[in-house]
Amino acid sequence: TQISNDADNASKYYSPRGVAVNRNAGSPNFGRVYVSEAVGGPTASGRTTTDGLYILTADQGDVTGQGDVAWSGGIDWSGGTSTYPGPFKVTVAPDDRVFITDFTDVHSGVWTSPADGSGTFNELLDNTGRDSAGLVAGLHGTVPAVWVEGTGADTKMYTLDEDLDLGSTPGSILRYDIGTTQSGYNTPPVEETGDGTNVILNMRSDLVRDEDGSWWVAQYRSTENAGTPALTRWQSGGQAPIYNSGADDDLPVLYGAYGNLAIHDGMNLLAMGGRSGRGIYILDISDPDAPQLVATIAQTGYAHDVAFDEAGNLYVVSSSSETLRIWSPGGDWLAVTGSDGTFTLIPEPATLALLGLGGLALLRRRR
């Protein structure tokens, strides 16, 4: 069910390409929503946006008082195109920093912003000697996707890279042990996975880590087969996928995927945005060796990025509809954030049994 309103000012974006939600339950920024506007401009519904980062509360409030002007971090984001935009994907790290990828050759790499978007964004990866194609030899190229784990000295950043080839193919997942580095990181990455079978061929792509430590990778596919699948799963250190949607006869619909991906471990769900008119695919990964399509959310035009919040609501951005839309899944749940920074999500039948209320009460989902 759509729980946002397209007519709200905070739902309108000209060319949004990334969305992320702070899922750190112990953080004062828990629930904040981040939208990257790659190419600002006048929306058909009357709002004019600018290039950069928009920050919202869970109920789409303007928490930082930015109005219609994006946080740009002092970066000239111009130079992107509809095919190669920047800023692109966004991810919230465990320390609340927002990691922003740039899919342009002009600003190739990864940038970081504080949780409130204020001040200058840090250029995390060194760009010394960057060539016209966006490649810094041995370090990085243009980056469509990023995932961050750990805090302090244990912080690790994982990327997919359009240009950098460390020996397998550019489809490999790369790991940067960034630790406490804020900018100018220049140590070459290592391959977390190696795409030795050469199945990741379109760098409009995304990655997420499953709670079992494996990786899911999505790529844009107008058609797919075992050699060019829309969705794959990998073990760390693996040279070939352990799941391949193009070889899954029970899941033939993902050829419409548009290379973006979100995961909710507690609900065992993946969400994948689709290409024009294909909607958003919701997959049950309770059995990760055999994902099942359980729902398709209607979406006219392209779904450029998707993100779950901790309560399971799904956030979707699209330049076709010029919107951020928020969808709540079926069923009834009790979502509780404790004063100690904990978060619990309880299905309605279990909640009623816990409270001894049987079928006399109905607990509705709350954001």
Side-chain angles (χ1 to χ4, degrees):
T1 302
Q2 184 174 346
I3 57 176
S4 61
N5 185 344
D6 289 356
D8 290 345
N9 199 58
S11 295
K12 304 172 184 176
Y13 300 89
Y14 183 70
S15 189
R17 298 308 171 99
V19 62
V21 183
N22 188 313
R23 295 175 62 178
N24 303 322
S27 166
N29 302 303
F30 181 53
R32 282 195 182 183
V33 183
Y34 298 86
V35 176
S36 61
E37 179 69 289
V39 183
T43 68
S45 54
R47 184 190 193 193
T48 298
T49 60
T50 62
D51 298 3
L53 194 64
Y54 286 88
I55 305 175
L56 311 170
T57 55
D59 59 357
Q60 295 182 275
D62 184 5
V63 66
T64 61
Q66 66 187 121
D68 291 339
V69 179
W71 293 106
S72 65
I75 310 302
D76 177 7
W77 292 105
S78 62
T81 66
S82 59
T83 304
Y84 295 100
F88 197 50
K89 298 285 179 60
V90 287
T91 296
V92 181
D95 64 4
D96 282 7
R97 281 185 298 167
V98 183
F99 283 63
I100 308 164
T101 72
D102 196 310
F103 205 21
T104 70
D105 295 334
V106 178
H107 301 119
S108 63
V110 179
W111 306 77
T112 63
S113 162
D116 63 359
S118 62
T120 301
F121 294 178
N122 289 319
E123 188 174 19
L124 181 62
L125 298 177
D126 185 13
N127 265 313
T128 303
R130 179 175 54 199
D131 66 19
S132 60
L135 179 66
V136 178
L139 186 60
H140 73 86
T142 52
V143 179
V146 63
W147 181 269
V148 183
E149 296 177 343
T151 59
D154 294 325
T155 304
K156 300 181 187 302
M157 180 178 73
Y158 303 86
T159 70
L160 295 170
D161 197 301
E162 183 187 34
D163 306 299
L164 185 61
D165 182 354
L166 294 183
S168 293
T169 72
S172 304
I173 299 173
L174 305 180
R175 189 188 81 234
Y176 296 82
D177 298 326
I178 59 175
T180 58
T181 303
Q182 298 293 315
S183 62
Y185 185 87
N186 59 7
T187 302
V190 297
E191 287 189 337
E192 179 73 11
T193 66
D195 186 15
T197 53
N198 200 25
V199 298
I200 308 299
L201 299 176
N202 190 304
M203 291 316 295
R204 181 173 288 279
S205 55
D206 207 352
L207 77 165
V208 296
R209 174 97 84 154
D210 203 317
E211 61 184 347
D212 67 4
S214 64
W215 294 92
W216 295 93
V217 175
Q219 64 175 326
Y220 168 43
R221 289 287 89 195
S222 57
T223 61
E224 71 162 341
N225 53 47
T228 52
L231 178 68
T232 50
R233 178 170 165 253
W234 305 73
Q235 294 287 15
S236 291
Q239 297 296 307
I242 56 175
Y243 171 79
N244 181 324
S245 63
D248 187 347
D249 294 336
D250 295 325
L251 194 62
V253 298
L254 294 187
Y255 66 86
Y258 201 51
N260 53 78
L261 189 62
I263 191 168
H264 194 292
D265 288 324
M267 291 182 164
N268 285 316
L269 294 178
L270 287 179
M272 299 177 65
R275 65 188 181 95
S276 186
R278 291 286 178 178
I280 301 102
Y281 303 119
I282 308 298
L283 305 176
D284 186 324
I285 55 170
S286 300
D287 178 357
D289 295 323
Q292 301 293 316
L293 181 69
V294 293
T296 301
I297 302 172
Q299 169 71 44
T300 57
Y302 293 91
H304 282 288
D305 200 16
V306 292
F308 282 112
D309 68 14
E310 198 66 5
N313 300 303
L314 185 69
Y315 298 69
V316 180
V317 291
S318 169
S319 64
S320 303
S321 59
E322 298 183 343
T323 58
L324 163 69
R325 288 176 174 157
I326 308 172
W327 302 85
S328 181
D332 298 293
W333 304 76
L334 179 66
V336 180
T337 307
S339 59
D340 58 352
T342 60
F343 182 89
T344 56
L345 184 63
I346 308 170
E348 175 261 337
T351 303
L352 298 182
L354 179 66
L355 298 178
L357 298 178
L360 299 178
L362 182 64
L363 295 172
R364 304 302 299 178
R365 184 175 194 78
R366 300 179 186 273
R367 283 191 293 129

